[in-house]
Amino acid sequence: MQLFVQRVFDGLQAGAIYAILALAIVIVFRASGMLNIAQGEIAMFTTFIAWNLFDVGLPWWASSVASLVIGFLVGAVLYRLLIVRLGGGHASPLAVVMVTIGLFLMLNDGAAVIWGTTAKPVPRIFGTGRVEIFGAGVAVQVLGLLAVLGVLVVVFGLLFQRTKLGLALRAVTSNQESAALAGIKVTTVLMIGWGLAGAIGSVAGSFTASGNFAVDRNMMQIVLIYAFAAATLGGFDSPLGAVLGGLIIGLVSELVVGYVAIVGPDLRLLPGFALVIIVLLVRPQGMFGSPKVVRA
Amino acid sequence: MSESIDWRRALVIVAFAIAAIVAPQVLGVSDVNLLSEIIYLSTAALALALITGFNGQISLGHGAFVGMGAYITMILTVDYNVSYVAAGLISLGAAFVVGLIIGLPALRITGVYLALVTLALATLFPQIVNRLGDITGGSVGRRLVPREGYGDWDRLQEVGRRRFLSTEGFRAPDWTGLANDQWRYYVFLAIAVVVFVLVRNLTRSRVGRGLVAIRDNETAAEVAGVPIAKYKVLTFGISAAIASVAGWMFAVLNNDVSPTSFTIVLSITLLVAAVLGGANSIIGPIIGAVVIIGLREAVPAGSQQYTNVIFGIALIVLILAAPGGVVGIYRKNQFKRKQRQAVRAAEEFKAALEAQEATVAE
């Protein structure tokens, strides 16, 4: 029982980070219909900037909060400078994939140019304390992370459903032309969407760094893969699906790796992806996604 | 006009062919190997051009097929004493079958979703290699030197394990009088020419037009009678087979196969190579491979971290300015030139006609 509880919380810890990055990916996808392969690297870059703040004397939790603002700016600026030129909802998927791969390469090696290739040590955001649950020692950090995820879900749920901005974002998602005709400034709204994704991504970045006790320029790549899996599992246009998808993938990976000897730690990615492919074959739109209707 | 031979084009092709044949005779070993590496990367990028450029299925996982080709070649030649030719053919067949199997879910999973699933394939590949560490050598990888207890061990003992490569490995037959690196280069070149010509013919055939039709508008293609499912799955298989040929080249060229060579980075590099040169063209992959390897060689060893920064920026600028890649720019210019020619010809004709009318009126 103790081991099981331990594994569940390990799974939730990993899963919550996937969920947060998946949330960022889904927001970009919902707003602009684009898949941002560089989302993880944007988060890594933001976390390095947060490390600079930490380095000059700010506490790590405060730097992480500041990185929300930095992430927003990075996301918004990238949209305004680059992505907007791809031509909105009519951009070809290949062009979007290539430009975000370009960003990925640029940011990943850019971080090496700016901050060097050695990892920068950082502490845990919520300290190193432990709480006993069912006999297993669970880190306060994990509980804090789950709480942050909960807050993010509530805040973004309210933002999307209860505010003018949320309404504008949903209108742009549903039909850019109609939204523009209704007087919504599409470019500004999309810029805010990319900014919000950058901000959420920065949370995933801070927690990944603090889980590893270091900011490393390659830390977000594997998280990105899992986050994509989470978003695919939950449905690319469903924030709630992304969050549940992330938690499910984290749990399934941890438990299968822990209890099924054939899979073992070497094939950590396999269970999650097997799940994703099965779900995609049965429901191509994911668990909570809305089916895409194509008109010729 | 279009039926006549384009002499300028023919001249360029002949010049390149002569250069490709003469090059290993005048260059040193490391430069010849660099050229071999360009051929390897071009072939791998061609696999991607076929599936992504012509058929519109974005794959971020072809590094896995390249890796498969390399691993099968390594294991068969080293552990089972299979000849290089047979190992190449077996890995080609295996990759084709695996490509078909991966292509099946791709029928339902399209666009960005496919990019993601193939991305998963690329990330999963090194993990599978690690899991099968007994035969693959795990995370360290293996050189193309047999381990104890494998294959025709008595024969290998006789030859000496360490000397296996230079005596039994991939080396030039005596009758050629070539050094090993030159022989390898010519073999690569011959294989690549065959593969490129086959793909060129494929893309210009009825099937090829079907592939492009699927890319441009799947519904319209279906209405026009293109068997979408069959073509898409087949493209996946063929493309995977081509990638495995490149993998064979990798194993033969490097004599060393390890999972770090076949990570997601390779898959991304291949896609970039194809798109950079122009994904819906046959020579695009070659241009892309030359640019990628050229850039890597041009950046000094101490500042490799700048390579991808330059690369990323170049990629973004290229996609925003010229989505068709280098070949796209060329085609646009050709089109404009022909347009100007046509306009000029029409004007001359009109002038002549008016002059004629004038004389008739007189």
Side-chain angles (χ1 to χ4, degrees):
Chain A
M1 185 64 188
Q2 188 199 338
L3 185 64
F4 177 75
V5 173
Q6 189 67 53
R7 281 183 175 153
V8 165
F9 274 98
D10 284 349
L12 287 178
Q13 177 180 22
I17 293 179
Y18 309 153
I20 293 172
L21 194 62
L23 201 56
I25 289 165
V26 164
I27 283 174
V28 163
F29 189 82
R30 269 178 68 111
S32 55
M34 290 173 179
L35 181 79
N36 186 3
I37 292 179
Q39 196 77 60
E41 298 311 288
I42 294 174
M44 175 275 294
F45 207 82
T46 327
T47 310
F48 261 111
I49 299 177
W51 174 82
N52 274 130
L53 296 176
F54 171 69
D55 198 39
V56 297
L58 225 59
W60 178 236
W61 65 266
S63 314
S64 300
V65 173
S67 76
L68 280 169
V69 181
I70 302 164
F72 184 88
L73 291 176
V74 173
V77 166
L78 283 177
Y79 179 79
R80 197 67 194 80
L81 288 183
L82 295 175
I83 309 298
V84 73
R85 289 172 210 277
L86 281 171
H90 305 293
S92 88
L94 184 62
V96 176
V97 167
M98 294 318 291
V99 166
T100 52
I101 282 181
L103 265 179
F104 181 103
L105 297 172
M106 198 176 91
L107 291 175
N108 187 266
D109 270 15
V113 170
I114 300 171
W115 291 286
T117 46
T118 45
K120 310 289 182 207
V122 292
R124 297 244 195 235
I125 294 178
F126 292 99
T128 48
R130 281 180 178 277
V131 184
E132 193 158 306
I133 299 174
F134 293 114
V138 176
V140 176
Q141 169 90 2
V142 179
L143 301 177
L145 171 60
L146 291 172
V148 168
L149 176 65
V151 170
L152 279 179
V153 170
V154 172
V155 166
F156 277 89
L158 289 177
L159 181 79
F160 268 96
Q161 301 299 331
R162 294 273 186 271
T163 63
K164 270 229 141 129
L165 176 65
L167 187 64
L169 271 165
R170 284 187 288 143
V172 170
T173 309
S174 141
N175 188 327
Q176 288 196 5
E177 279 85 7
S178 307
L181 287 176
I184 294 170
K185 291 192 179 65
V186 173
T187 310
T188 313
V189 169
L190 286 181
M191 193 173 87
I192 294 172
W194 274 70
L196 289 175
I200 299 174
S202 79
V203 179
S206 307
F207 273 100
T208 308
S210 100
N212 301 340
F213 292 107
V215 193
D216 176 83
R217 75 188 171 108
N218 292 321
M219 68 181 182
M220 292 312 282
Q221 286 161 16
I222 197 75
V223 180
L224 179 79
I225 303 275
Y226 279 115
F228 275 147
T232 319
L233 187 66
F236 253 91
D237 55 356
S238 159
L240 189 67
V243 171
L244 287 178
L247 293 174
I248 291 172
I249 295 236
L251 273 178
V252 167
S253 305
E254 192 63 36
L255 293 178
V256 172
V257 166
Y259 288 109
V260 184
I262 290 187
V263 178
D266 283 337
L267 286 180
R268 181 165 279 277
L269 274 169
L270 193 62
F273 280 115
L275 191 66
V276 168
I277 290 180
I278 292 167
V279 169
L280 277 187
L281 288 176
V282 182
R283 272 179 71 86
Q285 69 271 29
M287 293 188 305
F288 300 94
S290 38
K292 201 172 81 181
V293 181
V294 183
R295 209 166 75 183
Chain B
M1 267 298 275
S2 61
E3 271 82 31
S4 71
I5 299 167
D6 186 345
W7 286 107
R8 254 184 21 178
R9 197 178 191 143
L11 204 68
V12 171
I13 292 173
V14 170
F16 263 102
I18 292 174
I21 291 169
V22 174
Q25 304 296 339
V26 292
L27 294 173
V29 176
S30 62
D31 287 335
V32 173
N33 284 341
L34 208 59
L35 288 180
S36 298
E37 199 186 344
I38 289 175
I39 298 177
Y40 144 73
L41 194 58
S42 309
T43 311
L46 179 72
L48 221 28
L50 178 64
I51 193 161
T52 302
F54 285 97
N55 196 212
Q57 306 192 69
I58 302 172
S59 168
L60 278 170
H62 266 54
F65 294 120
V66 176
M68 217 183 112
Y71 267 99
I72 293 179
T73 304
M74 182 268 286
I75 291 164
L76 287 181
T77 53
V78 172
D79 290 345
Y80 299 98
N81 254 352
V82 176
S83 75
Y84 281 97
V85 178
L89 291 175
I90 293 171
S91 69
L92 186 140
F96 180 72
V97 173
V98 174
L100 291 183
I101 295 170
I102 306 271
L104 280 177
L107 289 176
R108 295 205 61 177
I109 306 164
T110 52
V112 288
Y113 290 87
L114 184 62
L116 293 182
V117 171
T118 49
L119 183 75
L121 181 71
T123 9
L124 206 53
F125 183 77
Q127 298 202 345
I128 295 172
V129 167
N130 282 340
R131 185 73 187 80
L132 302 174
D134 288 345
I135 50 171
T136 60
S139 58
V140 190
R142 285 172 65 189
R143 296 191 58 75
L144 264 66
V145 172
R147 293 172 309 152
E148 255 170 78
Y150 271 88
D152 192 351
W153 186 240
D154 291 337
R155 171 90 185 92
L156 290 172
Q157 290 272 285
E158 222 177 278
V159 180
R161 278 174 63 214
R162 285 287 148 201
R163 296 200 46 205
F164 173 80
L165 271 181
S166 51
T167 55
E168 303 281 292
F170 197 83
R171 63 185 199 121
D174 293 331
W175 55 266
T176 56
L178 293 168
N180 286 348
D181 61 302
Q182 293 171 328
W183 168 247
R184 191 165 52 209
Y185 167 83
Y186 284 123
V187 170
F188 281 20
L189 188 64
I191 294 173
V193 167
V194 170
V195 172
F196 272 80
V197 169
L198 285 178
V199 172
R200 177 179 176 276
N201 290 347
L202 177 73
T203 56
R204 296 191 175 189
S205 68
R206 183 189 164 84
V207 178
R209 286 192 299 277
L211 298 185
V212 174
I214 292 171
R215 177 195 70 194
D216 291 342
N217 188 333
E218 206 165 307
T219 317
E222 192 163 21
V223 172
V226 178
I228 292 188
K230 195 172 127 193
Y231 279 12
K232 277 178 114 174
V233 173
L234 208 60
T235 313
F236 231 105
I238 296 173
S239 168
I242 297 172
S244 84
V245 171
W248 179 90
M249 290 179 180
F250 182 95
V252 169
L253 179 66
N254 294 294
N255 273 326
D256 186 61
V257 181
S258 73
T260 48
S261 308
F262 308 105
T263 56
I264 179 68
V265 178
L266 176 63
S267 295
I268 289 180
T269 309
L270 297 181
L271 187 60
V272 170
V275 173
L276 201 66
N280 56 348
S281 74
I282 299 296
I283 60 167
I286 306 176
I287 298 174
V290 170
V291 171
I292 286 177
I293 292 182
L295 185 67
R296 190 195 68 198
E297 293 298 310
V299 175
S303 40
Q304 280 295 336
Q305 70 268 33
Y306 288 95
T307 320
N308 279 345
V309 178
I310 301 170
F311 212 66
I313 294 171
L315 196 62
I316 294 169
V317 171
L318 186 83
I319 294 292
L320 293 178
V326 178
V327 172
I329 297 172
Y330 172 78
R331 280 184 187 159
K332 217 175 191 171
N333 285 337
Q334 284 292 93
F335 179 73
K336 278 192 185 147
R337 200 168 63 94
K338 288 208 172 124
Q339 210 175 24
R340 277 198 304 272
Q341 272 175 1
V343 168
R344 207 177 305 134
E347 275 168 358
E348 277 166 16
F349 182 72
K350 199 177 159 198
L353 206 68
E354 277 167 359
Q356 207 180 16
E357 275 172 3
T359 46
V360 169
E362 275 172 20

